[in-house]
């Protein structure tokens, strides 16, 4: 695991307008609170919403947490992302299958499903709220926020561990 302050993570869902923008926002916020400078982005495996802002229900859910995601824009996952990011996190098993199809095989990114890194939630998927009601987005927030905080805890642990090289370059 690289130095936490140079860590880069890409959150991936299908459309990059519902779940992964919220995961990006949750992790940005958690890292900011912890004083960590990290590189964060999100992408979709599909090209349906390239260039579009997040779904209005995701924007509203982030806004309820005081976070503005109106400037986010949808983009598609590319093979180059496996070279650019340390960690790629998918939301569900369908995302994981789609991510594997783009994986060039010689990148540096470690790939996992988001809730697999949350103690006690291994194997659970972040369900797609796209077809549901607006209240589904608060459940989505709770799930992606748990994932974001679990990831942050791993990074902070790496930084403070006497066995790691911590903040050393
Ligand atoms: P997301 O949700 O993958 O969480 O962004 C979806 C957004 C759009 C579509 C599907 C899922 N769509 O079919 O357009």
């Amino acid at each position: 695991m690289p130095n936490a302050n140079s860590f880069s993570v890409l959150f991936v869902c299908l459309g990059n307008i519902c779940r992964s923008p919220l995961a990006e926002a949750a992790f940005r916020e958690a890292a900011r609170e912890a004083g960590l400078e990290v590189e964060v982005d999100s992408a979709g495996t599909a090209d349906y919403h390239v260039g579009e802002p997040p779904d209005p229900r995701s924007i509203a859910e982030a806004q309820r947490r005081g976070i503005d995601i109106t400037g986010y824009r949808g983009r598609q996952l590319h093979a180059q992302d496996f070279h650019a990011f340390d960690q790629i996190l998918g939301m569900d098993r369908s995302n994981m299958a789609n991510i594997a199809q783009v994986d060039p095989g010689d990148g540096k990114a470690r790939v996992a499903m988001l809730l697999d890194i949350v103690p006690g939630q291994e194997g659970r998927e972040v369900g797609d709220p796209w077809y549901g009601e607006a209240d589904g987005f608060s459940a989505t927030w709770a799930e992606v926020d748990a994932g974001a905080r679990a990831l942050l805890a791993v990074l902070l642990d790496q930084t403070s561990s006497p066995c790691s090289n911590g903040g050393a370059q």
Side-chain angles (χ1 to χ4, degrees):
M1 180 78 72
N3 176 354
N5 268 312
S6 63
F7 179 78
S8 58
V9 58
L10 181 67
F11 295 97
V12 176
C13 60
L14 176 62
N16 193 209
I17 56 168
C18 296
R19 292 166 290 177
S20 62
L22 287 180
E24 177 183 346
F27 188 67
R28 276 190 196 287
E29 179 64 12
R32 189 191 62 76
E33 287 170 10
L36 274 190
E37 285 185 28
V38 290
E39 191 192 331
V40 193
D41 199 2
S42 61
T45 57
D47 64 359
Y48 310 146
H49 300 283
V50 170
E52 294 178 17
D55 185 285
R57 297 165 294 177
S58 284
I59 291 175
E61 192 58 41
Q63 197 58 55
R64 271 192 281 282
R65 269 83 188 177
I67 303 170
D68 179 11
I69 62 168
T70 56
Y72 291 15
R73 291 294 178 269
R75 75 164 179 93
Q76 192 173 17
L77 178 70
H78 295 293
Q80 182 55 31
D81 290 318
F82 292 79
H83 296 284
F85 289 88
D86 298 312
Q87 181 84 60
I88 293 176
L89 290 164
M91 301 292 131
D92 62 24
R93 288 187 182 78
S94 170
N95 299 155
M96 298 305 290
N98 292 331
I99 290 168
Q101 292 204 329
V102 183
D103 191 343
D106 61 350
K108 68 175 177 176
R110 291 163 25 143
V111 182
M113 195 165 73
L114 182 64
L115 294 182
D116 276 345
I117 64 172
V118 180
Q121 298 206 40
E122 299 88 348
R124 284 196 55 225
E125 302 178 306
V126 178
D128 191 344
W130 164 253
Y131 297 103
E133 304 297 324
D135 61 1
F137 283 69
S138 49
T140 301
W141 176 270
E143 290 171 347
V144 299
D145 190 50
R149 288 179 189 283
L151 178 61
L152 186 71
V154 171
L155 287 176
L156 291 174
D157 192 49
Q158 300 275 338
T159 308
S160 63
S161 165
C163 296
S164 79
N165 72 345
Q169 294 298 312

